[in-house]
Amino acid sequence: MEIFQENVNGVEIFIVKGSLDSNTSPEFESRIYASLENGQKRLVLNLEDLEYISSAGIRVMLKTTKDLKHMDGNIVLCSLQDYVKEVFDIAGLDGYLCIEKNLDEALLKI
Amino acid sequence: MGVIRVKVMRKVKMSITLKNRLADLDKIKAVVSKLSGTIDCTRRKLKEIDLILEELFANVVHHGFKDNREHDIDISLSCDDDILEIRMEDDGEPFDITASPAPDTRCALDKRGIGGLGIHFVKHFIDDCKYYREKNKNIIVLKKNMAEKPHKKNDSK
């Protein structure tokens, strides 16, 4: 897994590449929470190059979404590959999360 | 004239013994990678197999043992034509995967728990699931059809 971060007009964009599994998700979680502790409350996850996700990665997304809701923040995901999208659908996360087709749409929604 | 695709599907059998530590997940990834060079299937199917094995393994590592000792978890994969059989054995606490309830994926976000998703994923991506408890061991036998289905499985509940 590789994570790249950039801040565009107060929106923290995470580009997550590779695999979010039981071994890599803790690092993903700590990167997200380091950002929240720095005061970032508007997050966009660009998942264009995320090839694989398991329940460990889904848990981090669910927890982040809940915590941001309580902080009056927001999270938008974009550019999901078919497999990742199906895993989100099976988990029922499509009902809780704002998922956009591409980064431009995500930046409009955040 | 249509293109005739010659399918090379041999009988394949692989097995690995893992310890109850998450670091051994790498061994699962290595086996799935080896499988990709042996059987004829799509990358998508391989991701599904990867997910099934990770969730089964992570579940037993997280919840299977009350002591702090090292335990063996045996996983074997065998493929005969289009059917992949996954068998996992562990000497952990009894856990009947077939009786495990599905999480409520449609409740309000605040009430939404974060448990039970892994097994929910496993059940979604397999076609047959059997559980036995023998000689203080959990034995799970799963079957997955590796042929591409003409229609997407519609089971998002």
Side-chain angles (χ1 to χ4, degrees):
Chain A
M1 178 196 63
E2 283 182 298
I3 301 171
F4 300 93
Q5 273 173 260
E6 59 176 336
N7 195 285
V8 177
N9 299 328
V11 177
E12 191 74 6
I13 303 172
F14 289 79
I15 300 161
V16 190
K17 298 188 174 191
S19 175
L20 267 181
D21 59 33
S22 300
N23 281 345
T24 57
S25 291
E27 191 200 331
F28 173 57
E29 184 172 8
S30 62
R31 290 282 288 268
I32 295 252
Y33 278 81
S35 177
L36 299 190
E37 278 167 26
N38 281 336
Q40 303 296 337
K41 289 202 289 189
R42 295 163 75 209
L43 309 187
V44 166
L45 306 185
N46 183 347
L47 305 184
E48 187 179 354
D49 292 316
L50 184 69
E51 304 273 341
Y52 174 87
I53 190 166
S54 71
S55 65
I58 294 288
R59 275 189 199 97
V60 178
M61 309 245 180
L62 198 51
K63 185 166 177 272
T64 308
T65 305
K66 279 184 177 182
D67 290 343
L68 275 169
K69 196 182 170 196
H70 291 135
M71 294 162 63
D72 266 339
N74 198 10
I75 181 168
V76 178
L77 280 59
C78 68
S79 315
L80 276 63
Q81 295 188 10
D82 285 349
Y83 160 82
V84 175
K85 175 78 172 66
E86 186 173 354
V87 172
F88 271 79
D89 289 350
I90 306 162
L93 290 198
D94 49 327
Y96 305 122
L97 280 170
C98 180
I99 299 173
E100 295 297 330
K101 279 183 185 157
N102 55 51
L103 184 59
D104 289 343
E105 297 283 329
L107 290 170
L108 282 176
K109 286 284 167 63
I110 190 80
Chain B
M1 284 289 282
V3 176
I4 299 170
R5 187 161 168 243
V6 179
K7 248 180 143 182
V8 182
M9 187 68 84
R10 295 192 298 255
K11 288 189 180 183
V12 174
K13 191 165 171 68
M14 295 178 190
S15 30
I16 40 167
T17 299
L18 309 169
K19 299 295 181 191
N20 54 323
R21 55 185 179 221
L22 279 184
D24 275 15
L25 189 62
D26 290 345
K27 293 180 184 169
I28 289 181
K29 307 281 172 190
V31 162
V32 174
S33 175
K34 201 171 154 193
L35 194 68
S36 71
T38 318
I39 64 170
D40 182 20
C41 70
T42 59
R43 283 186 67 201
R44 170 57 190 257
K45 287 279 178 187
L46 287 170
K47 287 184 194 182
E48 293 174 10
I49 296 163
D50 205 342
L51 183 73
I52 292 165
L53 295 177
E54 175 180 340
E55 300 296 0
L56 288 174
F57 173 67
N59 189 64
V60 72
V61 170
H62 287 307
H63 308 294
F65 306 102
K66 286 184 175 169
D67 58 30
N68 289 320
R69 292 186 190 158
E70 203 169 74
H71 294 265
D72 284 345
I73 299 163
D74 297 310
I75 295 177
S76 67
L77 303 176
S78 53
C79 200
D80 194 347
D81 286 333
D82 280 340
I83 304 297
L84 177 75
E85 186 182 282
I86 299 168
R87 183 183 170 98
M88 187 176 89
E89 285 188 33
D90 65 81
D91 63 347
E93 296 291 313
F95 174 68
D96 181 356
I97 183 174
T98 61
S100 158
D104 182 359
T105 57
R106 298 286 159 199
C107 65
L109 179 61
D110 282 340
K111 290 181 182 165
R112 179 66 197 272
I114 52 172
L117 267 183
I119 296 304
H120 185 53
F121 291 158
V122 171
K123 287 180 175 174
H124 178 86
F125 285 115
I126 51 133
D127 298 292
D128 185 57
C129 175
K130 289 195 169 60
Y131 170 80
Y132 312 94
R133 180 80 183 172
E134 285 173 9
K135 295 177 185 169
N136 291 323
K137 281 193 167 187
N138 294 308
I139 301 168
I140 296 168
V141 182
L142 308 175
K143 286 191 169 69
K144 180 170 179 62
N145 192 336
M146 299 298 287
E148 283 301 312
K149 288 174 188 167
H151 300 292
K152 200 175 161 186
K153 195 172 177 180
N154 186 17
D155 176 24
S156 59
K157 282 174 192 167

